[in-house]
Amino acid sequence: MQLELVMTGGLDEITTGPILLQAQTRSEDADALSRQLGLGDFSLLASDGPVLLNMRVQGVLSNSVDTTIVVQRGAERLGFAGVVFPAGADGASGSGIVDFAVSDFSPMLDLLGANGIHLAGLEGSADISFGGTGMVLLENLIASQFGAAGATLGGQLSISEVNDNRLVVGQLQIGMLGADSVLAFLGGPAALIISDGVWPEGPLYLGGAPRQTRGRINLTAPGISFGNINFA
């Protein structure tokens, strides 16, 4: 790890005086790095290979800091650039722009407490706001399927905490929607497991325990495809 910390005052002024923190690290064990950073037991990026982390923080910790964080692993990336208020009464809050190319959002959704939904691999960007109460708001979301060209999804999505449950609310505009995508969104990848019979095992199996995630996401699409049949 390479680490540089510049302060105008001494260590006793680290939270009240201006600082500049720059860090770069590379880890061959992506899961271990995720645990060390308090981001869960598994890496947020599923690609093979080492994880590269670059971070730059400048400002006053007791007020606000301009923050840039970029994590890369293979063809996947997750980046944030914006302003963070570390010392809020309810914890850190902030806003900025998030840039992403992620093949599997499951570890990230688990971290946010929204493990009741499944998102396919996407790459794109969005305006993001977050608060110490567990609130995350994505606006002006523009994304395409991971590894594909052209925007196929847009809209906004919010995650908040209500009575120890996670509430997911959003409005998404997407291209032609496949029936398998709807099933995977509701039940996760397991919803697509095929049995020996006519009906797949997964679509009606939404988990063995009550979900802690509730909400409503409005999907707008020009039509739904079922195999080779399109319904407008």
Side-chain angles (χ1 to χ4, degrees):
M1 171 183 284
Q2 296 180 346
L3 181 65
E4 178 185 5
L5 176 61
V6 179
M7 301 181 297
T8 58
L11 288 176
D12 57 336
E13 298 180 7
I14 190 170
T15 61
T16 58
I19 67 164
L20 171 61
L21 172 65
Q22 298 185 99
Q24 293 180 332
T25 187
R26 171 191 173 103
S27 175
E28 300 292 337
D29 190 336
D31 293 343
L33 178 62
S34 181
R35 288 192 293 269
Q36 290 172 357
L37 296 176
L39 299 177
D41 292 332
F42 302 102
S43 172
L44 300 182
L45 304 179
S47 295
D48 295 328
V51 176
L52 305 177
L53 170 65
N54 289 276
M55 180 175 64
R56 187 179 192 274
V57 177
Q58 185 173 19
V60 179
L61 292 176
S62 60
N63 186 13
S64 66
V65 290
D66 295 328
T67 304
T68 301
I69 302 175
V70 179
V71 183
Q72 293 180 297
R73 187 184 187 193
E76 300 190 39
R77 68 181 185 279
L78 183 61
F80 168 82
V83 178
V84 176
F85 301 88
D90 296 319
S93 62
S95 62
I97 297 175
V98 62
D99 174 76
F100 54 87
V102 179
S103 64
D104 183 1
F105 280 91
S106 298
M108 199 177 308
L109 291 170
D110 288 346
L111 179 65
L112 296 174
N115 54 356
I117 63 175
H118 169 74
L119 292 177
L122 297 171
E123 56 181 298
S125 63
D127 297 332
I128 185 172
S129 302
F130 58 91
T133 56
M135 180 276 295
V136 178
L137 173 63
L138 296 176
E139 297 180 295
N140 300 318
L141 173 63
I142 300 176
S144 62
Q145 184 178 353
F146 181 75
T152 58
L153 182 147
Q156 66 179 34
L157 191 68
S158 69
I159 302 174
S160 58
E161 185 171 333
V162 179
N163 297 327
D164 296 327
N165 290 322
R166 303 297 285 173
L167 179 64
V168 181
V169 179
Q171 294 181 333
L172 300 176
Q173 298 83 42
I174 57 180
M176 183 63 70
L177 182 65
D180 56 345
S181 298
V182 177
L183 294 175
F185 183 80
L186 294 173
L192 303 180
I193 296 175
I194 304 298
S195 69
D196 294 332
V198 177
W199 190 257
E201 291 181 353
L204 298 180
Y205 180 74
L206 301 182
R211 291 188 176 189
Q212 298 300 113
T213 305
R214 300 289 185 269
R216 175 177 296 176
I217 298 177
N218 296 322
L219 299 177
T220 302
I224 296 178
S225 63
F226 191 86
N228 295 324
I229 303 175
N230 295 333
F231 299 91

